[in-house]
Amino acid sequence: MNFGNLLKIALKALNNNKLRCFLTMLGIIIGVGAVITMLAIGQGSKDSIKASISEMGSNMIMIHPGNMQRGGVRQSADDMQTLQVADFEAIRNLPGVSAVSPSVNTGGQLVNGNNNYPSTIYGINDDYLDIRKLKVKEGSMFTDHDIQTAAKVCVLGKTVVDNLFPNGEDPVGRVVRFGKIPFTVVGVLESKGTNSMGMDQDDVVLAPYTTVMKRILAIDYIQGIFASAVDEDLTDDVIESITGVLRTQHKLKEGADNDFQIRSQQELSEMMNSTSDMMTMLLACVAGISLLVGGIGIMNIMYVSVTERTREIGLRMSIGARGIDILSQFLIEAVIISVTGGIIGVLLGLIASWLVNIIAGWPVSVQIYSVVLSFVVCTVTGVFFGWYPAKKASNLDPIEAIRYE
């Protein structure tokens, strides 16, 4: 019996039990749709994290004082004061470093007339804009002279501007108070919105680091250093150079622990991608259980079909149908169920991914490999779970099958 005739017989048999056939497909449909949707959500999250990190500067290097925990014991405040302005100056002269900025910050209340808003003021220099991929939209950045004289000037983020100047006034040239200290606004940053972690990147006030150190915090050390490598591929080499310079600056003996921490955006990216991949695989595995259940459903229904059609099988075999013909017939039925369910499942997955993006606002990215993989898996599922019932049907004794009630 040729393949065309076997296909017609299989389709006719499935057509006679439409509802049962659809219910059998349902497990495959849900499984494939869930796998595609879960992988799309996971990949979308991963792409969003990459984009967010890229916006902050993919070759950014962050240096912080001390270690928050050493040997399980929290360090004292003195241990967190190990970075000095001289360290920033030393790093600035290293080859491979394109930009470097000291960093000090504190939170407080900003006031403009009757409007006030709690925010964080960051003491930095003009290299900070290049490192963090920030741009001044209105006005200008403060100058080196402002840094040298610890001038009371600042640059505001859009969120701060919207809250302090709600009527749309031009903030450039206006005076706002941070606590009791008046600051002249010299510029406004271009809006960057929220990042993938939900943090508002526009809720920021930038001022000369000398101003924040002397006039607000009254300290003689810096809380951190931001730097960037000339090229992302040179990040590891630059980190090694910075480590060597800081150990020399801090007069650390060989074998002594560093009294500073260095982190790069690459490390952050790898860590977050690893977490994202783990969650994606977990979600895909949970969704994959539906495929397994769907496969078991196919096996179950094929067993029922073999039992119901035992006399038919016996008649076919008595007039010359071979065991391979019977096996092929039932195997084709199983594959048709799983492949049709797979196609509907793929469409369901694409629609579900689109709805998640539209309704929930989550980033999604449907990958071709997830569609192909789901389709291949559901086909293999049909063959795997349909084989045993089909093999059982092909091994029936024709005489016994005809006598079956």
Side-chain angles (χ1 to χ4, degrees):
M1 194 177 291
N2 61 38
F3 178 78
N5 288 332
L6 289 172
L7 183 60
K8 287 178 183 178
I9 293 169
L11 289 172
K12 185 176 180 181
L14 294 174
N15 188 55
N16 290 335
N17 295 282
K18 297 185 188 69
L19 181 59
R20 186 170 72 184
C21 180
F22 173 74
L23 293 175
T24 305
M25 287 182 191
L26 206 54
I28 297 293
I29 293 171
I30 293 172
V32 171
V35 168
I36 291 174
T37 305
M38 292 301 103
L39 289 176
I41 292 172
Q43 187 63 43
S45 174
K46 192 174 178 179
D47 291 346
S48 177
I49 290 169
K50 282 183 179 178
S52 178
I53 289 174
S54 178
E55 286 179 4
M56 291 191 294
S58 56
N59 52 351
M60 184 170 72
I61 299 167
M62 296 154 285
I63 306 154
H64 299 287
N67 291 304
M68 286 304 292
Q69 296 286 335
R70 181 181 294 172
V73 179
R74 186 176 178 84
Q75 291 181 262
S76 67
D78 289 341
D79 293 320
M80 304 305 293
Q81 301 174 12
T82 56
L83 292 181
Q84 304 294 325
V85 174
D87 297 330
F88 146 69
E89 297 289 353
I91 292 171
R92 171 180 268 176
N93 299 320
L94 287 175
V97 175
S98 62
V100 60
S101 170
S103 174
V104 287
N105 67 83
T106 185
Q109 200 79 5
L110 284 155
V111 180
N112 173 45
N114 294 325
N115 301 307
N116 62 83
Y117 183 72
S119 188
T120 302
I121 187 168
Y122 291 86
I124 44 86
N125 66 9
D126 56 350
D127 276 359
Y128 188 78
L129 296 185
D130 292 331
I131 297 169
R132 293 297 304 270
K133 309 296 183 186
L134 299 171
K135 293 180 181 178
V136 176
K137 183 179 180 181
E138 301 172 22
S140 62
M141 187 62 174
F142 46 78
T143 64
D144 288 338
H145 181 263
D146 292 327
I147 294 174
Q148 292 168 7
T149 58
K152 292 180 283 188
V153 293
C154 68
V155 176
L156 304 180
K158 187 176 183 303
T159 299
V160 178
V161 171
D162 290 343
N163 283 275
L164 294 184
F165 302 91
N167 297 321
E169 310 100 304
D170 183 3
V172 177
R174 300 287 293 273
V175 175
V176 298
R177 284 187 294 110
F178 185 84
K180 296 181 180 180
I181 302 172
F183 281 84
T184 301
V185 180
V186 295
V188 176
L189 295 173
E190 190 175 288
S191 177
K192 292 193 71 174
T194 57
N195 61 22
S196 60
M197 292 170 280
M199 296 174 62
D200 186 357
Q201 299 179 89
D202 299 324
D203 185 6
V204 63
V205 179
L206 304 182
Y209 69 90
T210 50
T211 305
V212 178
M213 287 174 65
K214 296 176 182 178
R215 299 183 185 276
I216 299 178
L217 295 175
I219 58 176
D220 60 0
Y221 59 89
I222 55 180
Q223 297 169 337
I225 300 172
F226 287 90
S228 65
V230 173
D231 188 87
E232 189 174 341
D233 295 333
L234 296 175
T235 301
D236 290 340
D237 293 335
V238 171
I239 288 175
E240 190 174 337
S241 299
I242 291 174
T243 301
V245 164
L246 290 181
R247 288 185 65 86
T248 301
Q249 285 284 119
H250 298 181
K251 297 180 173 57
L252 297 176
K253 296 179 181 179
E254 189 173 346
D257 291 336
N258 292 334
D259 58 357
F260 55 87
Q261 307 172 64
I262 301 180
R263 295 286 182 269
S264 69
Q265 287 293 76
Q266 287 179 331
E267 288 181 48
L268 178 61
S269 177
E270 289 169 5
M271 180 184 71
M272 297 190 76
N273 283 339
S274 175
T275 303
S276 178
D277 287 343
M278 188 182 301
M279 290 302 298
T280 301
M281 289 308 299
L282 177 62
L283 291 172
C285 288
V286 171
I289 293 173
S290 297
L291 278 176
L292 177 62
V293 172
I296 294 171
I298 290 175
M299 192 174 192
N300 181 52
I301 208 65
M302 294 309 296
Y303 259 122
V304 172
S305 184
V306 168
T307 303
E308 285 182 346
R309 295 158 63 189
T310 300
R311 285 174 62 84
E312 176 193 329
I313 294 167
L315 287 171
R316 290 186 185 282
M317 296 182 77
S318 67
I319 59 175
R322 299 167 299 167
I324 187 66
D325 295 326
I326 302 299
L327 185 145
S328 299
Q329 176 189 335
F330 281 90
L331 200 55
I332 287 170
E333 289 182 27
V335 171
I336 288 173
I337 290 173
S338 60
V339 170
T340 306
I343 293 171
I344 298 172
V346 167
L347 294 175
L348 177 66
L350 295 175
I351 293 170
S353 299
W354 177 75
L355 289 175
V356 166
N357 180 249
I358 296 298
I359 297 173
W362 296 352
V364 296
S365 177
V366 178
Q367 301 297 297
I368 297 299
Y369 81 87
S370 68
V371 176
V372 174
L373 179 63
S374 298
F375 196 74
V376 169
V377 168
C378 73
T379 304
V380 171
T381 299
V383 174
F384 180 78
F385 285 100
W387 174 266
Y388 189 75
K391 185 67 176 173
K392 180 185 176 184
S394 69
N395 289 334
L396 286 174
D397 182 84
I399 304 299
E400 293 298 325
I402 292 172
R403 289 176 179 173
Y404 183 80
E405 294 294 335

